[in-house]
Amino acid sequence: MLYDMATRFLSEEIAPRYEEFEKAEMFDRESWTKAGEAGLLCASMPEEYGGSGGTFAHESAIIEAISHVGVDGFGIGLHNSIVAPYILHYGSEEQKKKWLPRMASGELIGAIAMTEPGAGSDLQGVKTSAKRDGNHYAINGSKTFITNGQLANLIIVVTKTDPSKGAKGTSLIVVETDEVEGFERGRNLDKIGLKSNDTSELFFNDVRVPTSNLLGHEEGQGFIQLMQQLPQERLQIGTTAIAAVERALALTIDYVKERKAFGKTILEFQNTQFKLAELKTEATIGRVFYNDCVARHIDGGLDPVTASMAKYWLTDLQGKVMDECLQLHGGYGYMNEYPIARMFRDARVQRIYGGTNEIMKLLIARSL
Ligand SMILES: Cc1cc2nc3c(=O)[nH]c(=O)nc-3n(C[C@H](O)[C@H](O)[C@H](O)COP(=O)(O)OP(=O)(O)OC[C@H]3O[C@@H](n4cnc5c(N)ncnc54)[C@H](O)[C@@H]3O)c2cc1C
């Protein structure tokens, strides 16, 4: 029911304006507020904090709807199932009451700022510092590639509260950007895909926030918190991947049934049949694996290694399926008026962010 409701909302409210957002390279705040009113924000947060009291399965239904409708740049998946859970799991009662209801309404738009120009895969290299000064932290540093970067007004910043301690000196600090000075948004970065998402640079110049914005009871917990939450981030990227695979196949099957060459439909060529038979089989395997990961995750049993397998394998599959499906569209597949063209471009980053697929393989290999 949630999937149907989300599909209806996204088709009626977002899809008609999607081209406009792709051109502007960002969404507008109104779309977020409307999504909040429709119950699509913080679906898995408890009702006492303004959420809908669901689980990751509910978030998954919403993310699948986003992908199936084809509005992948709408950054509510990150807001819902990456940013909000940090506050739920590590926030004090006061922090949860302060931030989650406003995230559920869309008043606060979430982002998480880990990556820096000099620290991507190797997050231990984060340089952004948070220096304690009485009951405040002074944050200094720069971040890049931050999803929702132009619109976000609640940003979880990965900082070093004690640079001498490496990973153990890492802390997560919430910055409510409307309430601080010294915070600047840099360029909204020019990407090859996911155009409508405002992936941006962020700068922190002596940004002072109260020490009560630290997530967790003490400093130095940031790295452990990131490691605990990354499996859900990775699974969420898998959600987008499997949903895109299914959409691409459905679109392509329709296309090859219509398009003709040499007096036959494209589907009548054995090459087309074999390709689609292979892809459909892999999509089915992917769906079964994905659903099993979600079931395990809801029961609390999805280990980080399996989550890494899901991220790496499903996004690799997505890349392969987009490429093959585009090929079956011929020249029309290269034209932006056909959805497969955008799906091909949007897919590429899935193997890069959330931990690159090479890093996923390292994590899997370490467990062997
Ligand atoms: C569209 C987009 C949105 C993003 N959103 C966010 C966000 O919201 N928040 C955020 O914090 N970050 C975000 N990122 C950043 C993303 O997580 C990083 O780009 C990613 O982690 C890789 O880091 P890097 O770009 O510095 O690549 P690098 O770490 O420089 O890697 C370069 C290459 O080297 C490989 N490599 C690195 N280390 C190893 C190793 N040990 N063994 C083998 N190969 C290795 C990598 O796999 C990659 O192929 C986003 C990025 C993009 C493109």
Side-chain angles (χ1 to χ4, degrees), residues 112 114-115 120-121 145-147 199 349 352-354 356 358 362:
I112 180 155
M114 303 182 242
T115 308
S121 300
F145 300 155
I146 307 307
T147 299
T199 313
V349 74
I352 295 170
Y353 57 22
T356 66
E358 290 74 30
L362 274 182

Side-chain angles (χ1 to χ4, degrees), residues 30 46 80 103 122 133 144 177 194 196 232 272 275-276 319:
E30 194 195 349
N80 284 351
M103 287 185 76
D122 184 8
D133 174 15
T144 193
T177 62
L194 283 184
S196 55
Q232 178 156 313
T272 309
K275 280 279 179 238
L276 289 172

Side-chain angles (χ1 to χ4, degrees), residues 48-289:
E48 59 188 301
Y49 304 121
S52 310
T55 66
F56 181 75
H58 299 84
E59 302 296 3
S60 171
I62 295 170
I63 299 162
E64 287 192 36
I66 289 175
S67 240
H68 286 160
V69 174
V71 292
D72 294 270
F74 198 10
I76 65 176
L78 177 118
H79 172 96
N80 284 351
S81 48
I82 299 174
V83 181
Y86 277 103
I87 295 169
L88 180 69
H89 291 125
Y90 308 114
S92 62
E93 195 52 31
E94 201 189 331
Q95 288 173 330
K96 288 186 237 188
K97 288 204 169 112
K98 184 173 176 199
W99 291 319
L100 290 175
R102 288 153 72 209
M103 287 185 76
S105 69
E107 180 192 336
L108 289 177
I109 296 178
I112 180 155
M114 303 182 242
T115 308
E116 299 182 359
S121 300
D122 184 8
L123 274 183
Q124 299 201 25
V126 161
K127 291 250 176 332
T128 297
S129 64
K131 230 180 180 174
R132 222 184 161 131
D133 174 15
N135 54 2
H136 280 78
Y137 286 110
I139 303 178
N140 280 288
S142 58
K143 299 284 180 182
T144 193
F145 300 155
I146 307 307
T147 299
N148 299 340
Q150 296 295 316
L151 286 174
N153 50 356
L154 181 142
I155 305 178
I156 299 177
V157 187
V158 178
T159 67
K160 285 277 169 69
T161 36
D162 186 347
S164 69
K165 287 194 182 150
K168 288 188 179 141
T170 306
S171 302
L172 306 185
I173 298 179
V174 174
V175 175
E176 259 197 82
T177 62
D178 298 336
E179 303 202 336
V180 295
E181 283 176 20
F183 169 73
E184 273 176 53
R185 302 180 200 269
R187 285 178 301 155
N188 184 1
L189 298 160
D190 180 15
K191 309 187 295 295
I192 62 171
L194 283 184
K195 287 280 192 188
S196 55
N197 193 279
D198 44 327
T199 313
S200 302
E201 299 170 327
L202 305 176
F203 300 105
F204 300 84
N205 307 308
D206 257 329
V207 172
R208 285 171 66 80
V209 296
T211 47
S212 57
N213 281 21
L214 174 76
L215 285 182
H217 299 298
E218 53 181 352
E219 292 174 3
Q221 300 302 304
F223 220 76
I224 299 165
Q225 293 165 342
L226 287 169
M227 292 306 116
Q228 286 170 346
Q229 295 308 308
L230 281 173
Q232 178 156 313
E233 176 171 0
R234 287 169 184 159
L235 189 56
Q236 191 221 285
I237 294 171
T239 318
T240 301
I242 191 65
V245 161
E246 291 169 347
R247 177 170 186 238
L249 272 173
L251 289 169
T252 307
I253 291 166
D254 282 349
Y255 183 82
V256 296
K257 282 182 180 167
E258 292 294 323
R259 175 83 181 161
K260 288 200 169 96
F262 300 97
K264 297 176 177 182
T265 65
I266 304 294
L267 182 60
E268 284 174 275
F269 298 117
Q270 196 183 47
N271 175 64
T272 309
Q273 295 173 12
F274 279 15
K275 280 279 179 238
L276 289 172
E278 286 165 18
L279 298 180
K280 180 80 186 173
T281 305
E282 285 177 277
T284 305
I285 294 168
R287 172 53 77 178
V288 172
F289 176 45

